[in-house]
């Protein structure tokens, strides 16, 4: 029997990890990744990601990339402060240690660009086909083989499976569902402070090697340290979907975006607004979209999804990349199991059976993650008086979701009691 042929659309972390795992499979599997970008350096790869035990950290070990990950990871990046606009600290966590990692809640940071480079280097030359922007995906009803059509008019076919790992506006998703992402109600800017320790030492001290999240008045102002010594600054707020056109200034101009954003944070502690004063690079305006929390698709032979293509959500619980990497692991297991059985089970479509199983197990897991993320967003951006009025619920949602079911009620009760008492003194 010829090897299974797999087309992966999108060279993000989820798509690259899936390719890495399939290429390491004992049964030979043919893998091609089609990526719309011209190269790995075409655009900024965003901020920093925290990898967690059941998702990203497990994925690095399974992919044989643990040592490379550790060479770039920052356990000190686990440091976290959640504050309000007056700089009252509602939650504080110290940085971690690689030699003595936390028994629970480990979440070392790695720059998204670096993680992608590690994964990209692991799949070898020629696997990623650059400048292959997908227009549509179809499955031939007669052969069951997938066909990928590109915007330049070309096409490639004969795939046993086409995997959509192509993000929020997935073209592959359109092959299995008409549902599109909806606006979350939150938008804003991402900025950067280069050489932060030298240029803005007061900001460097505030973020303390990790992250600071400031919330008040349906807005957020956040800073996160990156591996190159810069600090990523994001300013989010509740606003209409047409907010970019309604700003009255050029949202792509750094100076105009910075000055316009500073006006929205009048009355916030100077320690926080110092971040906006110091930004000097990389302004990116963004409106945040999400799939409905109960989204699922009817199974279709020859096509499936992972990561944001399957369950795009806002970044406010920090679990998106971990979900994508876990999806990739589970999908790789299913494809490899099918490859082992193909040819042994005459008259059975083993791959299709494995895809049905993958999707059946994926849906409840992704719905839980979507609910957690949606809850975290509502707690801080759509709850009056946040974080004072919602920090207990936010902590329970974000920190407690991966606890053992018997432990979480005790943890939640302790949290609620602690914050009930804490609020009496602040």
């Amino acid at each position: 029997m010829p090897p299974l042929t797999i087309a992966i659309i999108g060279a993000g972390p989820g798509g690259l990890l899936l390719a890495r795992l399939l290429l390491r499979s004992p049964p030979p599997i043919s893998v091609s990744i089609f990526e719309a970008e011209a190269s790995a350096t075409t655009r900024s790869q965003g901020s920093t990601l925290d990898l967690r035990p059941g998702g990203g950290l497990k994925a690095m070990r399974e992919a044989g990339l643990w040592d490379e990950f550790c060479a770039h990871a920052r356990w000190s990046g686990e440091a976290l402060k959640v504050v309000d606009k007056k700089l009252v600290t509602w939650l504080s966590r110290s940085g971690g240690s690689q030699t003595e990692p936390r028994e629970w809640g480990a979440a070392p940071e790695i720059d998204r660009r670096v993680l992608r480079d590690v994964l990209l280097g692991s799949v070898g030359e020629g696997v990623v086909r650059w400048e292959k922007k997908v227009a549509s995906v179809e499955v031939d009803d007669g052969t069951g083989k997938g066909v990928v059509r590109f915007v330049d008019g070309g096409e490639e076919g004969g795939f046993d499976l086409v995997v959509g790992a192509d993000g929020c506006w997935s073209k592959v998703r359109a092959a299995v569902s008409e549902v599109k992402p909806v606006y979350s109600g939150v938008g804003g800017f991402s900025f950067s402070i280069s050489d932060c320790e030298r240029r803005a030492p007061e900001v460097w001290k505030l973020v303390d090697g990790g992250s600071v999240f400031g919330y008040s008045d349906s807005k957020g102002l956040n800073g996160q340290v990156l591996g190159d010594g810069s600090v990523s600054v994001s300013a989010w707020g509740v606003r209409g979907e047409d907010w970019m056109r309604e700003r009255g200034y050029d949202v792509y101009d750094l100076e105009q975006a910075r000055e316009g954003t500073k006006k929205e944070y009048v009355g916030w502690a100077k320690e926080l607004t110092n971040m906006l004063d110091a930004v000097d690079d990389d302004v990116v305006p963004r409106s945040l979209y999400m799939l409905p929390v109960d989204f699922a698709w009817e199974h279709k032979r020859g096509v499936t999804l992972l990561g944001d293509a399957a369950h795009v959500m806002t970044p406010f619980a920090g679990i998106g990349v971990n979900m994508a990497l876990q999806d990739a692991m589970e999908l790789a297991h299913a494809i490899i199991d099918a490859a082992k059985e193909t040819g042994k089970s005459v008259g059975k479509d083993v791959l299709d059976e494995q895809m049905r199983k993958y999707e059946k197990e994926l849906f409840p897991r992704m719905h839980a993650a979507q609910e957690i993320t949606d809850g975290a967003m509502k707690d801080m951006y759509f709850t009056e008086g946040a974080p004072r009025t919602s920090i207990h619920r936010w902590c329970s949602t974000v920190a407690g979701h991966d606890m053992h079911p018997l432990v979480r009620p005790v943890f939640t009760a302790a949290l609620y009691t602690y914050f009930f008492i804490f609020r009496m003194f602040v």
Side-chain angles (χ1 to χ4, degrees), residues 209-225:
S211 303
V212 59
F213 296 158
Y215 298 110
S216 283
D217 307 331
S218 298
K219 295 192 287 286
L221 184 56
N222 310 326
Q224 294 182 288
V225 170

Side-chain angles (χ1 to χ4, degrees), residues 272-353:
L272 291 169
T273 59
N274 281 337
M275 291 191 287
L276 294 173
D277 291 329
V279 297
D280 66 330
D281 193 17
D282 197 28
V283 57
V284 180
R286 293 178 61 198
S287 295
L288 301 180
Y289 287 81
M290 55 187 279
L291 281 165
V293 170
D294 60 352
F295 172 69
W297 62 90
E298 185 176 344
H299 174 76
K300 182 172 183 176
R301 181 186 179 194
V303 184
T304 197
L305 307 174
L306 67 77
D308 283 355
H311 44 69
V312 65
M313 38 194 153
T314 63
F316 300 122
I319 56 178
V321 72
N322 288 280
M323 280 292 296
L325 297 176
Q326 187 174 355
D327 294 350
M329 285 189 291
E330 301 296 340
L331 182 53
H333 297 162
I335 295 171
I336 292 169
D337 286 347
K340 292 176 180 177
E341 294 298 320
T342 299
K344 297 181 182 178
S345 303
V346 178
K348 292 178 64 177
D349 190 336
V350 180
L351 180 60
D352 190 58
E353 290 182 0

Side-chain angles (χ1 to χ4, degrees), residues 53 58 61 112 150 174 190 249 255 259 319 326 348 370:
K58 182 179 179 182
R61 289 189 172 94
R112 181 183 174 87
F150 305 100
S190 296
Y249 56 80
E255 185 66 23
E259 293 306 309
I319 56 178
Q326 187 174 355
K348 292 178 64 177
Q370 288 171 303

Side-chain angles (χ1 to χ4, degrees), residues 141-380:
D141 292 333
T143 65
K145 299 289 187 178
V147 179
V148 181
R149 295 192 168 89
F150 305 100
V151 295
D152 63 4
E155 67 176 53
E156 295 197 28
F159 297 107
D160 294 301
L161 180 68
V162 180
V163 179
D166 48 341
C168 180
W169 303 108
S170 170
K171 295 297 184 181
V172 184
R173 189 194 305 122
V176 297
S177 174
E178 295 181 354
V179 176
K180 292 180 172 60
V182 296
Y183 180 52
S184 69
V186 177
F189 292 97
S190 296
F191 301 99
S192 182
I193 304 173
S194 63
D195 193 10
C196 185
E197 185 175 15
R198 182 184 64 82
R199 293 189 58 258
E202 69 286 353
V203 173
W204 188 255
K205 181 180 179 180
L206 177 70
V207 295
D208 191 27
S211 303
V212 59
F213 296 158
Y215 298 110
S216 283
D217 307 331
S218 298
K219 295 192 287 286
L221 184 56
N222 310 326
Q224 294 182 288
V225 170
L226 273 67
D228 63 359
S230 65
V231 167
S232 173
V233 177
S234 55
W236 303 113
V238 175
R239 55 196 67 190
E241 191 169 7
D242 293 330
W243 71 272
M244 293 188 199
R245 289 194 293 269
E246 297 170 351
R247 289 294 95 178
Y249 56 80
D250 183 356
V251 297
Y252 294 93
D253 180 87
L254 174 61
E255 185 66 23
Q256 293 184 51
R258 177 178 61 190
E259 293 306 309
T261 301
K262 285 168 62 175
K263 294 177 182 177
E264 298 181 29
Y265 291 88
V266 172
W268 284 52
K270 181 62 176 172
E271 291 86 347
L272 291 169
T273 59
N274 281 337
M275 291 191 287
L276 294 173
D277 291 329
V279 297
D280 66 330
D281 193 17
D282 197 28
V283 57
V284 180
R286 293 178 61 198
S287 295
L288 301 180
Y289 287 81
M290 55 187 279
L291 281 165
V293 170
D294 60 352
F295 172 69
W297 62 90
E298 185 176 344
H299 174 76
K300 182 172 183 176
R301 181 186 179 194
V303 184
T304 197
L305 307 174
L306 67 77
D308 283 355
H311 44 69
V312 65
M313 38 194 153
T314 63
F316 300 122
I319 56 178
V321 72
N322 288 280
M323 280 292 296
L325 297 176
Q326 187 174 355
D327 294 350
M329 285 189 291
E330 301 296 340
L331 182 53
H333 297 162
I335 295 171
I336 292 169
D337 286 347
K340 292 176 180 177
E341 294 298 320
T342 299
K344 297 181 182 178
S345 303
V346 178
K348 292 178 64 177
D349 190 336
V350 180
L351 180 60
D352 190 58
E353 290 182 0
Q354 288 290 339
M355 292 306 97
R356 288 180 183 273
K357 178 182 176 183
Y358 161 74
E359 291 168 359
K360 182 179 179 181
E361 294 174 353
L362 169 65
F363 292 154
R365 181 166 56 83
M366 78 184 200
H367 291 160
Q370 288 171 303
E371 288 176 2
I372 290 164
T373 301
D374 189 51
M377 178 182 70
K378 288 176 178 175
D379 285 340
M380 291 304 184

Side-chain angles (χ1 to χ4, degrees), residues 81-84 90-91 186 213-222 236-238 268 316-317 372-396 398 419:
K81 286 194 287 281
V82 176
V83 302
D84 63 20
W90 291 93
L91 176 69
V186 177
F213 296 158
Y215 298 110
S216 283
D217 307 331
S218 298
K219 295 192 287 286
L221 184 56
N222 310 326
W236 303 113
V238 175
W268 284 52
F316 300 122
I372 290 164
T373 301
D374 189 51
M377 178 182 70
K378 288 176 178 175
D379 285 340
M380 291 304 184
Y381 289 92
F382 293 92
T383 300
E384 187 175 355
R388 168 182 284 273
T389 56
S390 60
I391 186 67
H392 56 293
R393 193 168 56 244
W394 183 87
C395 286
S396 177
V398 174
F419 283 114

Side-chain angles (χ1 to χ4, degrees), residues 75-76 78-80 92-96 102 208:
W75 269 260
S76 61
E78 293 178 346
L80 169 67
S92 180
R93 183 172 81 158
S94 62
R102 286 182 165 91
D208 191 27

